[in-house]
């Protein structure tokens, strides 16, 4: 494939390395706004930029019928509009709050556990995420996906919020520490014990590989997708 990297920071550079090892060509490395010219006719764009730029970056690609794999978090209030643009332009958009295979298995485990625990109100639920100090958004997109998975399966909750769980709002503690790729934990705590599930990333390579696999998968497809489509359908 011919891949345009829209956002060429730490993740972009690792994605480049992984993609080249899998036989793909990197035809653009952009930290500026993409245009039809500087995208250089790619088969797919992989977008890891920042919350302020992600919507516009994805819009330009989709309106030029370039499929987009997007891993930027912190802009999801605009995601429905981007998904509409993808359909209107007969293109394809795939958003992932986390592209790691392990994390996507963790998402599935989280939903299963939430479904099991919904009948045991003596257990209080709390989420925690730890990331590097350079991460701009809080909570992380991965933590939001975990929270949404619990909300979908446990009628006690109808929303999430930062800090401690209270009433019908599921709490997320967002911590920032030096050079932490990402750790996510879900706790079910009662007066007598605690159940915890946890995912710890050792580096960014798993995220990069998942993004490239998603880019390979989306070829020839139209519409809006997630990593669940890539890995489990």
């Amino acid at each position: 494939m011919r891949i345009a990297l829209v956002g060429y920071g730490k993740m972009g550079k690792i994605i480049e390395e992984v993609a080249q090892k899998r036989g793909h060509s990197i035809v653009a490395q952009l930290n500026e706004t993409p245009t039809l010219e500087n995208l250089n006719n790619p088969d797919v764009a992989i977008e890891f930029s920042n919350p302020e730029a992600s919507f516009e970056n994805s819009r330009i690609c989709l309106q030029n019928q370039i499929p987009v794999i997007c891993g930027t978090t912190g802009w999801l209030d605009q995601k429905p509009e981007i998904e509409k643009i993808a359909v209107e332009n007969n293109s394809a958009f795939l958003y992932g709050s986390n592209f790691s295979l392990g994390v996507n298995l963790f998402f599935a485990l989280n939903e299963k556990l939430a479904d099991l625990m919904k009948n045991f109100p003596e257990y209080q639920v709390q989420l925690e995420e730890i990331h590097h100090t350079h991460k701009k958004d809080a909570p992380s997109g991965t933590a939001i996906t975990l929270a949404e998975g619990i909300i979908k399966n446990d009628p006690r909750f109808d929303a999430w919020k930062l800090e401690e769980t209270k009433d019908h709002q599921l709490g997320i503690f967002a911590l920032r520490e030096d050079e932490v790729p990402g750790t996510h934990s879900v706790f079910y705590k009662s007066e007598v014990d605690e159940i915890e599930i946890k995912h710890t990333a050792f580096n960014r390579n798993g995220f990069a590989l998942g993004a490239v696999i998603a880019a390979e998968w989306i070829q020839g497809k139209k519409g809006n997708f997630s990593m669940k489509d890539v890995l489990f359908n």
Side-chain angles (χ1 to χ4, degrees), residues 130-150:
I130 309 172
H131 276 88
H132 51 86
T133 52
H134 307 292
K135 185 169 180 61
K136 294 182 178 180
D137 55 315
S140 67
T142 302
I144 292 172
T145 300
L146 289 167
E148 289 173 343
I150 294 170

Side-chain angles (χ1 to χ4, degrees), residues 137-202:
D137 55 315
S140 67
T142 302
I144 292 172
T145 300
L146 289 167
E148 289 173 343
I150 294 170
I151 292 165
K152 183 171 75 173
N153 287 279
D154 191 331
R156 289 182 293 169
F157 303 108
D158 54 23
W160 60 264
K161 71 182 188 75
L162 277 170
E163 302 301 333
E164 195 169 354
T165 295
K166 187 174 181 181
D167 299 326
H168 297 290
Q169 293 185 306
L170 179 61
I172 305 172
F173 289 120
L175 310 177
R176 296 293 173 261
E177 299 177 4
D178 288 340
E179 304 309 315
V180 178
T183 300
H184 294 85
S185 303
V186 182
F187 303 93
Y188 288 85
K189 187 174 184 178
S190 74
E191 291 184 358
V192 297
D193 60 7
E194 182 175 73
I195 300 168
E196 176 188 357
I197 57 172
K198 179 178 181 180
H199 180 274
T200 302
F202 299 140

